[in-house]
Amino acid sequence: MNQTERRSRKLGWRFVVLAVVLVIAGSAVIRSCWLDVYYIPSESMEPYLVTGDRVLVSRTDYNSTTIVRGDVVVFDGRGSFAPLNSGQGPVADAVHTIGVWLGVAGSDTVYVKRVIGVGGDHVKCCAVDGRLEVNGVPRDEPYLYPGDAASTSAFDVVVPEGKLWLMGDHRSVSADSRSLLGAPGGGMVSVDKVIGRPLRILWPFERFGPLARPTASAILPVPPAIQKDAQ
């Protein structure tokens, strides 16, 4: 191999490395600002989302639209659902972070749940017929996992302004706001902790498709929903 060929091959590898770096950097910017991908690690949102789903999440939807009862939100659980300081060591944490970024591992601090109550709502379990009550009105929940009760644990809460009461659709296996009633914050999650809204299942292929928001008939009309402040 002559010197010209060596130089050409070296330049070729440099272009490949530069292209890879640019793709990774561009992907990081997109995922931190507009769209991200999350892996669903548990059964808590079945049948809407199942273990192993990879979902595309919009980070900007709630900057211009309101968070309403029935919405499914992806949120940062640190300070509410997850401890502020967690980790298994720098190496294990680094490997796990890479897995989360690649969409093959679930995050220890990011959760997905359904909004049951917004600021000002009075949420109670349960009515005489076993349904949840929101502002004194029994609520139908067509998204519940087949055979599940609305809740097997009683609660009676008023959601503060700027907070959300969140529950999984598979109530019998979901650790959610009910599990944190005795903790600081009482199971409420700040609206500012919402990362975004799941838009579409990307994988597995047989489940590929859009994730619809709740219809107007699924949302009790009082009081009005809240809007997440633009970041």
Side-chain angles (χ1 to χ4, degrees), residues 134-157:
V134 181
N135 301 322
V137 181
R139 171 177 179 155
D140 290 326
E141 297 186 279
Y143 42 74
L144 278 182
Y145 186 82
D148 265 10
S151 179
T152 56
S153 57
F155 57 86
D156 189 341
V157 298

Side-chain angles (χ1 to χ4, degrees), residues 6 32 37 60 67 89-90 115 143 164 169 172 174 199 201 212 223:
R6 289 196 200 96
S32 63
V37 178
T60 59
I67 299 175
V115 177
Y143 42 74
L164 302 170
D169 290 354
S172 60
S174 177
L199 297 178
I201 296 174

Side-chain angles (χ1 to χ4, degrees), residues 61-68 162 191-192 224-230:
D61 266 28
Y62 294 130
N63 291 340
S64 57
T65 63
T66 55
I67 299 175
V68 297
V191 177
D192 292 334
I226 57 176
Q227 183 165 359
K228 181 177 181 287
D229 295 333

